[in-house]
Coordinates of all heavy atoms in Angstrom, one line a residue:
M1 N 81.5 98.8 107.2 CA 82.6 99.3 106.5 C 82.4 100.8 106.3 O 81.3 101.3 105.8 CB 82.6 98.6 105.1 CG 83.7 99.0 104.2 SD 83.8 98.2 102.6 CE 84.3 96.6 103.1
N2 N 83.4 101.6 106.6 CA 83.3 103.1 106.5 C 83.7 103.5 105.1 O 84.2 102.7 104.3 CB 84.0 103.8 107.6 CG 85.5 103.6 107.5 OD1 86.1 103.5 106.4 ND2 86.2 103.6 108.6
L3 N 83.6 104.8 104.8 CA 83.9 105.3 103.5 C 85.3 105.1 103.1 O 85.7 104.7 102.0 CB 83.6 106.8 103.4 CG 83.9 107.5 102.1 CD1 83.1 106.8 100.9 CD2 83.6 109.0 102.1
N4 N 86.3 105.4 104.0 CA 87.7 105.2 103.6 C 88.0 103.7 103.3 O 88.8 103.4 102.4 CB 88.6 105.7 104.8 CG 88.6 107.2 104.8 OD1 88.4 107.8 103.8 ND2 88.9 107.7 106.0
D5 N 87.4 102.8 104.0 CA 87.5 101.4 103.7 C 87.0 101.0 102.3 O 87.6 100.3 101.6 CB 86.8 100.5 104.8 CG 87.5 100.6 106.1 OD1 88.7 100.9 106.2 OD2 86.8 100.3 107.1
K6 N 85.9 101.6 102.0 CA 85.3 101.4 100.6 C 86.2 101.9 99.5 O 86.4 101.3 98.5 CB 83.9 101.9 100.5 CG 82.9 101.2 101.4 CD 81.5 101.8 101.2 CE 80.5 101.1 102.1 NZ 79.1 101.6 102.0
L7 N 86.7 103.2 99.8 CA 87.5 103.8 98.8 C 88.8 103.0 98.6 O 89.4 102.9 97.5 CB 87.9 105.3 99.2 CG 86.7 106.3 99.1 CD1 87.1 107.6 99.7 CD2 86.3 106.4 97.6
A8 N 89.3 102.4 99.7 CA 90.6 101.7 99.6 C 90.4 100.4 98.8 O 91.4 99.8 98.3 CB 91.0 101.3 101.0
K9 N 89.2 100.0 98.5 CA 89.0 98.8 97.7 C 89.2 99.1 96.2 O 89.4 98.2 95.4 CB 87.5 98.3 97.8 CG 87.2 97.8 99.2 CD 87.6 96.4 99.4 CE 87.2 95.9 100.8 NZ 87.8 94.6 101.2
N10 N 89.0 100.4 95.8 CA 89.2 100.7 94.4 C 90.7 100.6 94.0 O 91.6 100.7 94.8 CB 88.8 102.2 94.2 CG 87.3 102.4 94.3 OD1 86.5 101.4 94.1 ND2 86.9 103.6 94.8
Y11 N 90.9 100.4 92.7 CA 92.3 100.4 92.2 C 92.4 101.7 91.4 O 91.5 102.2 90.7 CB 92.5 99.2 91.2 CG 93.8 99.3 90.5 CD1 95.0 99.0 91.2 CD2 93.9 99.6 89.2 CE1 96.2 99.0 90.6 CE2 95.1 99.7 88.5 CZ 96.2 99.4 89.2 OH 97.5 99.5 88.6
Y12 N 93.6 102.4 91.6 CA 93.8 103.6 90.9 C 95.1 103.6 90.1 O 96.2 103.4 90.7 CB 93.8 104.8 91.9 CG 93.8 106.1 91.2 CD1 92.6 106.7 90.7 CD2 94.9 106.9 90.9 CE1 92.5 107.9 90.0 CE2 94.9 108.1 90.2 CZ 93.7 108.5 89.8 OH 93.6 109.7 89.1
Q13 N 95.1 103.8 88.8 CA 96.3 103.8 88.0 C 96.6 105.3 87.7 O 95.8 105.9 86.9 CB 96.0 103.0 86.7 CG 97.2 103.1 85.7 CD 98.4 102.4 86.3 OE1 98.4 101.3 86.8 NE2 99.6 103.1 86.1
P14 N 97.6 105.9 88.2 CA 97.9 107.3 88.0 C 98.5 107.5 86.6 O 99.0 106.6 85.9 CB 99.0 107.6 89.0 CG 99.6 106.3 89.4 CD 98.6 105.2 89.2
E15 N 98.3 108.8 86.1 CA 98.9 109.2 84.8 C 100.2 109.9 85.1 O 100.4 110.3 86.3 CB 97.9 110.2 84.1 CG 96.7 109.6 83.5 CD 95.9 110.6 82.7 OE1 95.2 111.4 83.4 OE2 96.0 110.6 81.5
N16 N 100.9 110.2 84.1 CA 102.2 111.0 84.2 C 101.8 112.5 84.5 O 102.6 113.2 85.1 CB 103.1 110.9 83.0 CG 103.7 109.5 82.9 OD1 103.8 108.8 83.9 ND2 104.0 109.1 81.7
T17 N 100.7 112.9 84.0 CA 100.3 114.3 84.2 C 98.9 114.3 84.8 O 98.1 113.4 84.5 CB 100.3 115.1 82.9 OG1 99.4 114.5 82.0 CG2 101.7 115.2 82.2
A18 N 98.6 115.4 85.5 CA 97.3 115.5 86.2 C 96.2 115.7 85.2 O 96.4 116.4 84.2 CB 97.3 116.7 87.2
H19 N 95.1 115.0 85.4 CA 93.9 115.2 84.5 C 93.0 116.3 85.0 O 92.1 116.8 84.2 CB 93.1 113.9 84.4 CG 92.4 113.5 85.6 ND1 93.0 112.9 86.7 CD2 91.1 113.5 85.9 CE1 92.1 112.6 87.6 NE2 91.0 113.0 87.2
I20 N 93.2 116.8 86.2 CA 92.5 118.0 86.7 C 93.5 118.9 87.3 O 94.3 118.5 88.1 CB 91.4 117.6 87.8 CG1 90.4 116.7 87.2 CG2 90.8 118.9 88.3 CD1 89.4 116.1 88.2
V21 N 93.5 120.2 86.9 CA 94.4 121.2 87.4 C 93.6 122.4 87.8 O 92.8 123.0 87.0 CB 95.5 121.6 86.3 CG1 96.4 122.7 86.9 CG2 96.3 120.4 85.9
V22 N 93.7 122.8 89.1 CA 93.1 124.0 89.6 C 93.8 125.2 89.0 O 95.0 125.3 89.0 CB 93.1 124.0 91.1 CG1 92.4 125.3 91.7 CG2 92.3 122.8 91.7
A23 N 93.0 126.2 88.5 CA 93.5 127.4 87.9 C 94.3 128.2 89.0 O 93.8 128.3 90.2 CB 92.4 128.2 87.3
G24 N 95.3 128.8 88.6 CA 96.1 129.6 89.5 C 95.4 130.8 90.1 O 95.6 131.2 91.2
N25 N 94.4 131.3 89.3 CA 93.6 132.4 89.8 C 92.3 132.0 90.4 O 91.4 132.9 90.6 CB 93.4 133.4 88.6 CG 92.6 132.8 87.5 OD1 92.3 131.6 87.5 ND2 92.3 133.6 86.5
A26 N 92.1 130.7 90.6 CA 90.8 130.3 91.2 C 90.6 130.9 92.6 O 91.6 131.0 93.4 CB 90.8 128.8 91.3
Q27 N 89.4 131.3 92.9 CA 89.1 131.9 94.2 C 89.2 130.9 95.3 O 88.4 129.9 95.2 CB 87.7 132.6 94.2 CG 87.6 133.7 93.2 CD 88.4 134.9 93.6 OE1 88.5 135.3 94.8 NE2 89.0 135.6 92.6
Q28 N 90.0 131.1 96.3 CA 90.1 130.1 97.4 C 88.7 130.0 98.1 O 88.4 128.9 98.5 CB 91.1 130.6 98.4 CG 92.6 130.5 97.9 CD 93.0 129.0 97.8 OE1 92.9 128.3 98.7 NE2 93.5 128.6 96.6
S29 N 88.0 131.1 98.2 CA 86.7 131.0 98.8 C 85.7 130.1 98.1 O 84.9 129.3 98.7 CB 86.1 132.4 99.0 OG 86.0 133.0 97.8
A30 N 85.8 130.1 96.7 CA 85.0 129.2 95.9 C 85.4 127.8 96.0 O 84.6 126.9 96.0 CB 85.0 129.7 94.5
L31 N 86.7 127.6 96.2 CA 87.2 126.2 96.3 C 86.9 125.5 97.6 O 86.8 124.3 97.7 CB 88.7 126.2 96.1 CG 89.2 126.6 94.7 CD1 90.8 126.7 94.7 CD2 88.7 125.7 93.6
K32 N 86.6 126.3 98.6 CA 86.3 125.8 99.9 C 85.1 124.8 99.9 O 85.1 123.9 100.7 CB 86.1 126.9 101.0 CG 87.4 127.5 101.5 CD 87.2 128.5 102.6 CE 88.5 129.1 103.0 NZ 88.3 130.2 103.9
I33 N 84.2 125.0 99.1 CA 83.0 124.2 99.0 C 83.4 122.7 98.6 O 82.8 121.8 99.0 CB 81.9 124.7 98.0 CG1 80.6 124.0 98.3 CG2 82.4 124.6 96.6 CD1 79.4 124.6 97.6
L34 N 84.6 122.6 97.9 CA 85.0 121.3 97.5 C 85.6 120.5 98.6 O 85.7 119.3 98.5 CB 86.1 121.4 96.4 CG 85.5 122.1 95.1 CD1 86.7 122.3 94.1 CD2 84.4 121.3 94.5
L35 N 85.9 121.1 99.8 CA 86.3 120.4 100.9 C 85.3 119.3 101.3 O 85.6 118.2 101.8 CB 86.6 121.3 102.1 CG 87.8 122.3 101.9 CD1 87.8 123.3 103.1 CD2 89.1 121.6 101.8
N36 N 84.0 119.7 101.2 CA 83.0 118.8 101.5 C 82.3 118.1 100.3 O 81.6 117.1 100.4 CB 81.9 119.5 102.3 CG 82.4 119.9 103.7 OD1 83.1 119.2 104.3 ND2 82.1 121.1 104.1
A37 N 82.5 118.7 99.1 CA 81.8 118.2 98.0 C 82.4 117.0 97.3 O 81.8 116.1 96.7 CB 81.6 119.3 96.9
C38 N 83.8 117.0 97.3 CA 84.5 115.9 96.6 C 84.3 114.6 97.4 O 84.8 114.6 98.6 CB 86.0 116.3 96.5 SG 87.0 114.9 95.8
P39 N 83.7 113.6 96.9 CA 83.5 112.4 97.7 C 84.8 111.6 98.0 O 84.8 110.8 98.9 CB 82.6 111.5 96.7 CG 82.9 112.0 95.4 CD 83.2 113.5 95.5
A40 N 85.9 111.9 97.3 CA 87.1 111.2 97.6 C 88.0 112.0 98.6 O 89.1 111.6 99.0 CB 87.9 111.0 96.3
G41 N 87.5 113.2 98.9 CA 88.3 114.1 99.9 C 89.6 114.5 99.3 O 90.6 114.6 100.1
L42 N 89.7 114.8 98.0 CA 91.0 115.2 97.4 C 91.3 116.7 97.6 O 92.5 117.1 97.3 CB 91.0 114.8 95.9 CG 90.7 113.3 95.7 CD1 90.7 113.1 94.2 CD2 91.8 112.5 96.4
Y43 N 90.4 117.5 98.0 CA 90.6 118.9 98.2 C 90.8 119.1 99.7 O 89.9 118.6 100.5 CB 89.5 119.8 97.7 CG 89.3 119.7 96.2 CD1 88.5 118.7 95.6 CD2 89.9 120.6 95.4 CE1 88.4 118.6 94.2 CE2 89.8 120.6 94.0 CZ 89.0 119.5 93.4 OH 88.9 119.5 92.1
R44 N 91.9 119.6 100.1 CA 92.2 119.8 101.6 C 92.7 121.2 101.8 O 93.2 121.8 101.0 CB 93.3 118.7 102.0 CG 92.8 117.3 101.7 CD 93.5 116.3 102.5 NE 92.8 115.0 102.3 CZ 93.5 113.9 102.3 NH1 94.7 113.8 102.5 NH2 92.8 112.8 102.0
M45 N 92.5 121.6 103.1 CA 93.0 122.9 103.5 C 94.3 122.7 104.3 O 94.4 121.9 105.2 CB 92.0 123.6 104.4 CG 92.4 125.0 104.8 SD 91.2 125.8 105.8 CE 89.9 126.1 104.6
N46 N 95.4 123.4 103.9 CA 96.6 123.2 104.6 C 96.7 124.2 105.8 O 95.7 124.9 106.1 CB 97.8 123.4 103.6 CG 98.0 124.9 103.1 OD1 97.4 125.8 103.7 ND2 98.7 125.0 102.0
E47 N 97.8 124.2 106.5 CA 97.9 124.9 107.7 C 97.8 126.4 107.5 O 97.6 127.2 108.5 CB 99.2 124.5 108.5 CG 100.5 124.7 107.7 CD 100.8 123.6 106.7 OE1 100.1 122.5 106.7 OE2 101.7 123.8 105.9
T48 N 98.1 126.9 106.3 CA 97.9 128.3 106.0 C 96.6 128.7 105.5 O 96.3 129.9 105.2 CB 99.0 128.8 105.0 OG1 98.7 128.1 103.7 CG2 100.4 128.5 105.5
G49 N 95.6 127.7 105.4 CA 94.3 128.0 105.0 C 94.1 127.9 103.5 O 93.0 128.2 103.0
E50 N 95.2 127.5 102.8 CA 95.1 127.4 101.3 C 94.5 126.0 100.9 O 94.8 125.0 101.6 CB 96.5 127.5 100.7 CG 96.5 127.5 99.2 CD 98.0 127.5 98.7 OE1 98.9 127.4 99.5 OE2 98.2 127.6 97.5
I51 N 93.6 126.0 99.9 CA 93.1 124.7 99.4 C 94.1 124.1 98.5 O 94.5 124.6 97.5 CB 91.7 125.0 98.7 CG1 90.8 125.8 99.5 CG2 91.1 123.6 98.2 CD1 90.4 125.2 100.8
T52 N 94.4 122.8 98.8 CA 95.3 122.0 98.0 C 94.5 120.9 97.3 O 93.4 120.5 97.8 CB 96.5 121.5 98.8 OG1 95.9 120.5 99.8 CG2 97.2 122.6 99.5
F53 N 95.1 120.4 96.3 CA 94.4 119.3 95.5 C 95.4 118.3 95.0 O 96.4 118.6 94.5 CB 93.6 119.9 94.3 CG 93.0 118.9 93.4 CD1 92.0 118.0 93.8 CD2 93.5 118.8 92.1 CE1 91.5 117.1 93.0 CE2 92.9 117.9 91.2 CZ 91.9 117.0 91.7
D54 N 95.0 117.0 95.2 CA 95.8 115.9 94.6 C 94.9 115.1 93.8 O 93.9 114.5 94.3 CB 96.4 115.1 95.7 CG 97.3 113.9 95.2 OD1 97.3 113.7 94.0 OD2 97.8 113.2 96.1
P55 N 95.1 115.0 92.5 CA 94.2 114.3 91.6 C 94.2 112.7 91.8 O 93.3 112.1 91.3 CB 94.6 114.7 90.2 CG 96.0 115.0 90.3 CD 96.2 115.6 91.7
N56 N 95.2 112.2 92.4 CA 95.3 110.8 92.6 C 94.3 110.3 93.5 O 94.1 110.7 94.6 CB 96.7 110.4 93.1 CG 97.8 110.6 92.0 OD1 97.6 110.3 90.9 ND2 98.9 111.3 92.4
G57 N 93.5 109.3 93.0 CA 92.3 108.8 93.8 C 91.0 109.4 93.3 O 90.0 109.1 93.9
C58 N 91.0 110.2 92.3 CA 89.8 110.8 91.7 C 88.8 109.7 91.3 O 89.2 108.8 90.7 CB 90.2 111.7 90.6 SG 88.8 112.4 89.7
L59 N 87.6 109.9 91.6 CA 86.5 109.0 91.3 C 85.9 109.3 90.0 O 84.9 108.6 89.5 CB 85.5 109.0 92.4 CG 86.0 108.6 93.8 CD1 84.9 108.7 94.8 CD2 86.5 107.1 93.8
E60 N 86.3 110.4 89.3 CA 85.8 110.8 88.0 C 84.3 111.1 88.0 O 83.6 110.8 87.0 CB 86.2 109.8 86.9 CG 87.7 109.5 86.9 CD 88.1 108.3 86.0 OE1 87.3 108.0 85.1 OE2 89.1 107.7 86.3
C61 N 83.8 111.6 89.1 CA 82.4 111.9 89.3 C 82.0 113.2 88.6 O 80.8 113.4 88.3 CB 82.0 111.8 90.7 SG 82.7 113.2 91.7
G62 N 82.9 114.1 88.5 CA 82.5 115.4 87.9 C 82.0 116.4 88.9 O 81.6 117.5 88.5
T63 N 81.8 116.1 90.1 CA 81.2 117.0 91.1 C 82.0 118.3 91.2 O 81.3 119.4 91.2 CB 81.2 116.3 92.5 OG1 80.4 115.1 92.4 CG2 80.6 117.3 93.5
C64 N 83.3 118.3 91.2 CA 84.0 119.6 91.3 C 83.8 120.5 90.1 O 83.7 121.7 90.3 CB 85.5 119.3 91.5 SG 86.3 118.3 90.3
R65 N 83.7 119.9 89.0 CA 83.4 120.7 87.8 C 82.1 121.3 87.8 O 81.9 122.4 87.4 CB 83.6 119.8 86.5 CG 83.6 120.6 85.2 CD 83.9 119.6 84.1 NE 84.2 120.4 82.9 CZ 84.4 119.8 81.7 NH1 84.3 118.5 81.6 NH2 84.6 120.5 80.6
I66 N 81.1 120.6 88.3 CA 79.7 121.1 88.3 C 79.6 122.2 89.4 O 79.0 123.2 89.2 CB 78.7 119.9 88.6 CG1 78.6 119.0 87.4 CG2 77.3 120.5 89.0 CD1 77.9 117.7 87.7
V67 N 80.2 121.9 90.5 CA 80.1 122.9 91.7 C 80.9 124.2 91.4 O 80.4 125.3 91.6 CB 80.6 122.2 93.0 CG1 80.7 123.3 94.1 CG2 79.7 121.1 93.4
C68 N 82.1 124.1 90.9 CA 82.9 125.3 90.7 C 83.0 125.7 89.2 O 83.7 126.7 89.0 CB 84.3 125.0 91.2 SG 84.4 125.1 93.0
H69 N 82.4 125.1 88.3 CA 82.4 125.4 86.9 C 83.8 125.4 86.3 O 84.8 125.3 87.0 CB 81.7 126.8 86.7 CG 80.4 126.9 87.4 ND1 79.3 126.2 86.9 CD2 80.0 127.6 88.5 CE1 78.3 126.5 87.7 NE2 78.7 127.3 88.6
D70 N 83.9 125.6 85.0 CA 85.2 125.4 84.4 C 86.2 126.5 84.7 O 87.4 126.3 84.6 CB 85.0 125.4 82.8 CG 84.4 124.0 82.4 OD1 84.6 123.0 83.1 OD2 83.9 124.0 81.3
E71 N 85.7 127.7 85.2 CA 86.6 128.8 85.5 C 87.6 128.5 86.6 O 88.7 129.0 86.6 CB 85.8 130.1 85.9 CG 84.7 130.5 85.0 CD 83.4 129.8 85.4 OE1 82.8 130.1 86.4 OE2 82.9 129.0 84.6
A72 N 87.2 127.5 87.4 CA 88.1 127.2 88.6 C 89.2 126.3 88.1 O 90.2 126.0 88.9 CB 87.3 126.5 89.7
F73 N 89.2 125.8 86.9 CA 90.2 124.8 86.5 C 90.9 125.2 85.2 O 90.2 125.7 84.3 CB 89.5 123.4 86.3 CG 88.8 122.9 87.5 CD1 87.4 123.1 87.6 CD2 89.4 122.3 88.5 CE1 86.7 122.7 88.7 CE2 88.8 121.9 89.7 CZ 87.4 122.1 89.8
S74 N 92.2 125.0 85.1 CA 92.9 125.3 83.9 C 92.8 124.0 83.0 O 93.1 124.1 81.8 CB 94.3 125.7 84.1 OG 95.0 124.8 84.9
L75 N 92.5 122.9 83.6 CA 92.4 121.6 82.9 C 91.4 120.7 83.7 O 91.5 120.6 84.9 CB 93.7 120.9 82.8 CG 93.7 119.5 82.1 CD1 93.3 119.6 80.7 CD2 95.0 118.8 82.3
W76 N 90.4 120.2 82.9 CA 89.5 119.2 83.5 C 89.2 118.2 82.4 O 88.5 118.6 81.4 CB 88.3 119.8 84.1 CG 87.6 118.9 85.1 CD1 87.5 119.1 86.4 CD2 86.9 117.7 84.9 NE1 86.8 118.1 87.1 CE2 86.5 117.2 86.1 CE3 86.6 116.9 83.7 CZ2 85.8 116.0 86.3 CZ3 85.9 115.7 83.9 CH2 85.5 115.3 85.1
R77 N 89.7 117.0 82.5 CA 89.4 116.0 81.5 C 89.4 114.6 82.3 O 89.8 114.5 83.4 CB 90.4 116.0 80.4 CG 91.8 115.6 80.9 CD 92.8 115.4 79.7 NE 94.1 115.2 80.2 CZ 94.6 114.1 80.7 NH1 93.9 113.1 80.9 NH2 95.9 114.0 81.1
Y78 N 88.9 113.6 81.6 CA 88.9 112.3 82.2 C 90.3 111.7 81.9 O 91.0 112.1 81.0 CB 87.9 111.4 81.6 CG 86.5 111.7 82.0 CD1 85.6 112.4 81.2 CD2 86.1 111.4 83.3 CE1 84.4 112.8 81.7 CE2 84.8 111.7 83.8 CZ 84.0 112.4 82.9 OH 82.7 112.8 83.4
P79 N 90.8 110.8 82.8 CA 92.1 110.2 82.6 C 92.2 109.5 81.2 O 91.1 109.0 80.7 CB 92.3 109.3 83.7 CG 91.3 109.8 84.8 CD 90.2 110.4 84.0
A80 N 93.4 109.3 80.7 CA 93.6 108.6 79.5 C 93.1 107.1 79.7 O 93.1 106.6 80.8 CB 95.0 108.7 79.0
A81 N 92.9 106.5 78.5 CA 92.5 105.1 78.6 C 93.5 104.2 79.3 O 94.7 104.4 79.1 CB 92.3 104.5 77.2
G82 N 93.0 103.4 80.2 CA 93.9 102.6 81.0 C 94.4 103.2 82.3 O 95.1 102.5 83.1
C83 N 94.1 104.5 82.5 CA 94.4 105.2 83.7 C 93.2 105.6 84.5 O 92.1 105.5 84.0 CB 95.2 106.5 83.4 SG 96.8 106.1 82.6
G84 N 93.4 106.0 85.7 CA 92.3 106.4 86.5 C 91.7 105.3 87.4 O 92.4 104.3 87.7
V85 N 90.5 105.5 87.8 CA 89.9 104.6 88.8 C 89.3 103.3 88.2 O 88.7 103.4 87.1 CB 88.9 105.4 89.7 CG1 87.6 105.7 88.9 CG2 88.5 104.6 90.9
T86 N 89.4 102.2 88.9 CA 88.7 101.0 88.6 C 87.9 100.7 89.9 O 88.5 100.4 91.0 CB 89.6 99.8 88.3 OG1 90.4 100.2 87.1 CG2 88.9 98.6 88.0
F87 N 86.6 100.7 89.8 CA 85.7 100.5 91.0 C 85.6 99.0 91.3 O 85.5 98.2 90.4 CB 84.3 101.1 90.7 CG 84.3 102.6 90.6 CD1 84.3 103.2 89.3 CD2 84.5 103.4 91.7 CE1 84.3 104.5 89.2 CE2 84.5 104.8 91.6 CZ 84.4 105.3 90.3
R88 N 85.7 98.7 92.6 CA 85.6 97.3 93.0 C 84.4 97.1 93.9 O 84.2 96.0 94.3 CB 86.9 96.9 93.6 CG 88.1 96.9 92.6 CD 89.2 96.2 93.1 NE 90.2 95.9 92.1 CZ 91.5 95.8 92.2 NH1 92.0 95.8 93.4 NH2 92.3 95.6 91.2
F89 N 83.8 98.2 94.3 CA 82.5 98.1 95.1 C 82.6 97.2 96.3 O 81.6 96.6 96.7 CB 81.4 97.7 94.2 CG 81.1 98.6 93.0 CD1 81.5 98.3 91.8 CD2 80.6 99.9 93.3 CE1 81.3 99.2 90.7 CE2 80.4 100.8 92.2 CZ 80.7 100.4 90.9
G90 N 83.8 97.2 96.9 CA 83.9 96.5 98.2 C 83.7 95.0 98.1 O 83.4 94.3 99.0
Ligands
SF4_1 S1 85.8 114.5 89.8 FE1 84.9 113.9 91.8 S2 86.3 112.7 92.8 FE2 87.4 113.7 91.2 S3 88.3 115.5 92.1 FE3 86.3 116.1 91.2 S4 84.8 115.8 92.9 FE4 86.7 114.7 93.5

């Protein structure tokens, strides 16, 4: 079973608003490390080289916050009760 198959076993309940928001002034060069650091692969580079982020599917591991510190985010919190990831461990 590969990583994507394992991630697909999890259940994710989205919120109406994002629980993690990348700051508008965050350095793109600093965010690039998250392309490989986020275990869910939620940070991606688009065709213009800009780092994009979709919080849906977040594993709530905190890696992005530790790697890029709070300055890179205008909001970083855990999802509200009843929302977010439910691990099913394959
Ligand atoms: S908390 Fe973990 S899974 Fe969620 S966006 Fe950050 S690095 Fe990715």
Side-chain angles (χ1 to χ4, degrees):
M1 182 180 287
N2 66 32
L3 178 60
N4 286 335
D5 291 337
K6 290 180 180 178
L7 289 172
K9 297 276 185 192
N10 294 331
Y11 174 75
Y12 192 82
Q13 176 65 46
E15 285 185 284
N16 291 334
T17 59
H19 68 285
I20 299 173
V21 178
V22 176
N25 62 352
Q27 297 291 321
Q28 289 289 305
S29 57
L31 294 175
K32 280 185 182 171
I33 195 169
L34 298 176
L35 295 173
N36 294 319
C38 174
L42 301 180
Y43 295 86
R44 300 202 174 147
M45 183 179 291
N46 67 18
E47 56 280 349
T48 64
E50 182 183 8
I51 306 299
T52 63
F53 172 64
D54 178 357
N56 291 314
C58 176
L59 301 174
E60 303 169 27
C61 66
T63 300
C64 55
R65 190 176 191 184
I66 291 169
V67 168
C68 283
H69 309 290
D70 283 340
E71 310 88 69
F73 304 98
S74 56
L75 174 68
W76 202 109
R77 62 170 173 78
Y78 288 103
C83 296
V85 68
T86 300
F87 295 102
R88 293 193 170 154
F89 300 107

